[in-house]
Amino acid sequence: MFKPGIWSGALLGAVLTAGVAVAAGPADYEIVDGGIPKALTAQPGNAENGREVAINRKLGNCLACHAVTKLSDQPYHGEIGPPLDGAATRWSEAELRLIVVNSKKVFEGTMMPGFHTTEGLNRVAEKFEGKTILSAQDVEDVVAFLMTLNEE
Amino acid sequence: MKTYPAPEGHPLSEIISGYEFRTPETQALQDDDFENPAFLWVDQGEELWNTADGTAGKACADCHGNASESMKMVGATFPKWDAKNNRPVNIELQINQCRTEQMGADAWKYESSEMIGMTSFVRTQSRGEPVNVDFSEGDMEAWKAKGKDLYYTRFGQLDLACSNCHEDNYGNQIRSDLLSQGQSNGFPTYRLKWQGVGTLHRRFKGCMDQVRAKPYKRGSDEFLALEVYLAYRGVGLPVEAPALRN
Ligand code: HEC
Ligand code: HEC
Ligand code: HEC
């Protein structure tokens, strides 16, 4: 059946992605075998920056829910998710990238937010509408940081 | 930690006041009426209780007499079915109904200091009384069901529902905050962060802002439905208004 409404909606979406919203919306990626093998950006992830993404309350704020021994210089680690120590021994880089980009694809119904997706969101505040929590580069950086967590 | 048996059909087996999750210092401030800053608002409410206002030239006291008697049970029974308007009312809405319909006075703004003062004063009369809301009246069950829907709906860029934090994770640390069951028995509540007393709906807004959601309006049907449902989740907890929180 021909649905003109959906058509023009898709067109409008394409126009917006090509124009203004390009920095804010999610980057293209492909899920292969439960992971995202290809980096989201050309610039390799920087673990030092990733450390900051994990700590910063306005960025990843991973410490809200996870404890990380490597970040024990920071006060207050969360108790909601599992400690991230040894994450790099449990998951491949591709899997970690998918967990950060859209955790719901790995853990069904999880409380962990998808940090680089706008899929299925409801009543997002205007300021954040159509935007992802982390930029593609933030994702690469935090994944690089997670890859340094190789001790249980 | 003091726990109470949950009402029938409740998802948890025991219910716990937000008080139990706060530090001994914060609890001590709440426990001492002379130290608890919320009593500035309660005192303001008491003064307004006895002050005539509006075209009828009446004060609350003219109709309701001594609040420590007339309001003793009242704070524990809201929100309540309002047959005349065919909807539930919370204490704030009831107060404005009395102001506009009985006193010929202007409605107070939802988060005005007068409204917070009066709500605090009325609720404080019920301190220690177990929350006892009647869900059998009118369409209370339908409102409760609507509130329940909202409680389990994920909102905002962070995609979290009330239940994620207050049902699945109470007792767990979320960074520097210790999560409680998100009960309403302490409201209106003085928050150190607010440097003042705020309504339950202000707290709802705060929790929605926190997950980067577009909050509903204070006094809206959505927040009222949530309030009805939260009352159910806390049936049996003692009213603790005015509580103190960080
Ligand atoms: C609101 C809570 C929350 C936040 C914020 C959060 N997570 Fe999670 N995370 C979880 C939960 C819960 C799990 C467990 C998965 C499940 O639901 O079964 C998890 C699982 C994980 C896992 C897999 C666990 C393992 O090591 O086996 C990784 C890796 C992870 N998170 C990384 C992150 C990173 C990186 C961030 C920040 C960019 C982050 N999380 C932010 C809640 C959160
Ligand atoms: C991301 C986590 C999170 C979500 C989601 C959340 N809250 Fe909260 N809420 C908190 C935190 C943190 C506090 C302060 C500590 C506490 O009392 O739990 C709080 C406090 C409260 C309180 C005050 C409890 C008291 O004793 O003073 C109420 C009521 C409440 N929340 C209701 C809700 C409702 C209703 C929703 C859904 C619309 C909701 N919360 C969603 C984190 C959350
Ligand atoms: C002229 C009389 C009159 C005045 C003045 C008045 N009320 Fe009322 N009030 C009533 C009546 C009658 C009811 C019964 C419910 C209704 O019809 O709204 C009521 C009900 C209430 C209730 C609910 C009691 C219950 O048992 O559920 C509260 C709370 C209340 N009033 C508070 C106030 C406050 C606070 C003021 C002053 C700002 C006030 N009222 C002023 C007549 C009055």
Side-chain angles (χ1 to χ4, degrees):
Chain A
M1 200 172 39
F2 181 58
K3 287 185 183 158
I6 289 179
W7 246 104
S8 53
L11 270 181
L12 184 64
V15 168
L16 282 179
T17 344
V20 246
V22 76
D28 285 336
Y29 58 84
E30 202 186 339
I31 300 176
V32 183
D33 294 337
I36 303 174
K38 196 164 169 285
L40 304 182
T41 60
Q43 190 180 328
N46 174 317
E48 258 316 293
N49 294 346
R51 182 182 199 279
E52 181 54 28
V53 171
I55 294 167
N56 191 309
R57 286 165 206 264
K58 296 217 146 82
L59 294 174
N61 197 13
C62 314
L63 284 182
C65 296
H66 295 285
V68 187
T69 304
K70 236 188 193 157
L71 301 178
S72 51
D73 59 321
Q74 301 292 317
Y76 306 121
H77 294 208
E79 300 173 333
I80 287 173
L84 295 181
D85 297 353
T89 65
R90 288 187 292 278
W91 307 96
S92 68
E93 184 187 296
E95 287 165 336
L96 289 171
R97 189 175 286 112
L98 180 57
I99 291 174
V100 175
V101 164
N102 189 353
S103 52
K104 274 135 200 146
K105 301 272 187 213
V106 181
F107 311 110
E108 205 190 316
T110 185
M111 180 166 164
M112 178 163 157
F115 284 91
H116 195 69
T117 178
T118 53
E119 219 176 280
L121 301 181
N122 177 25
R123 276 189 85 84
V124 175
E126 221 165 286
K127 198 174 148 196
F128 300 104
E129 235 176 274
K131 297 182 184 162
T132 60
I133 305 170
L134 294 182
S135 70
Q137 195 61 56
D138 291 338
V139 170
E140 289 307 319
D141 292 349
V142 86
V143 168
F145 172 69
L146 291 173
M147 289 305 289
T148 70
L149 304 180
N150 44 25
E151 271 170 62
E152 289 287 341
Chain B
M1 207 178 264
K2 187 148 180 45
T3 65
Y4 292 80
E8 211 185 299
H10 199 288
L12 304 170
S13 57
E14 49 189 31
I15 53 178
I16 307 168
S17 167
Y19 174 89
E20 302 291 337
F21 297 86
R22 307 291 41 111
T23 61
E25 295 75 34
T26 311
Q27 291 177 341
L29 267 184
Q30 175 175 323
D31 292 340
D32 184 340
D33 289 357
F34 294 98
E35 293 287 330
N36 184 346
F39 274 89
L40 292 172
W41 279 260
V42 176
D43 292 346
Q44 183 196 5
E46 180 167 21
E47 207 177 305
L48 289 167
W49 180 265
N50 295 303
T51 307
D53 198 3
T55 54
K58 285 200 155 66
C60 317
D62 291 325
C63 295
H64 296 293
N66 185 341
S68 67
E69 288 159 22
S70 69
M71 295 289 142
K72 181 159 171 41
M73 310 301 278
V74 168
T77 59
F78 274 82
K80 205 178 240 187
W81 187 250
D82 173 359
K84 204 166 60 190
N85 296 299
N86 200 35
R87 51 176 291 143
V89 281
N90 60 11
I91 299 181
E92 286 86 348
L93 298 174
Q94 173 67 55
I95 290 170
N96 267 345
Q97 226 156 277
C98 284
R99 285 185 57 80
T100 55
E101 289 168 23
Q102 308 284 348
M103 300 166 68
D106 290 337
W108 280 326
K109 283 220 172 71
Y110 201 87
E111 201 76 40
S112 62
S113 78
E114 289 89 351
M115 179 59 95
I116 293 170
M118 185 59 79
T119 313
S120 302
F121 176 65
V122 170
R123 269 278 268 189
T124 301
Q125 310 309 313
S126 307
R127 247 196 317 184
E129 296 297 331
V131 171
N132 175 26
V133 171
D134 186 353
F135 297 99
S136 68
E137 292 278 330
D139 288 335
M140 282 295 272
E141 282 295 342
W143 280 75
K144 184 179 131 195
K146 184 178 170 202
K148 182 178 179 183
D149 270 357
L150 290 166
Y151 194 85
Y152 289 100
T153 300
R154 288 180 181 242
F155 289 115
Q157 194 189 36
L158 270 57
D159 203 23
L160 293 170
C162 317
S163 59
N164 286 132
C165 289
H166 294 299
E167 179 171 312
D168 303 339
N169 280 292
Y170 69 88
N172 284 335
Q173 203 72 32
I174 185 161
R175 203 125 190 200
S176 58
D177 281 313
L178 180 59
L179 282 168
S180 74
Q181 291 185 346
Q183 294 284 3
S184 53
N185 60 312
F187 280 83
T189 288
Y190 184 95
R191 277 192 79 191
L192 299 166
K193 185 181 155 195
W194 292 336
Q195 291 288 301
V197 177
T199 62
L200 181 61
H201 292 197
R202 181 174 180 189
R203 178 52 106 154
F204 291 169
K205 174 182 167 3
C207 284
M208 288 186 79
D209 284 339
Q210 198 174 224
V211 299
R212 300 182 172 178
K214 200 182 299 166
Y216 297 105
K217 293 228 161 17
R218 294 172 227 192
S220 65
D221 285 359
E222 287 86 358
F223 275 176
L224 193 60
L226 256 182
E227 181 170 357
V228 169
Y229 180 61
L230 275 201
Y232 159 73
R233 291 182 72 101
V235 163
L237 286 178
V239 171
E240 277 172 17
L244 193 108
R245 301 285 185 262
N246 44 314

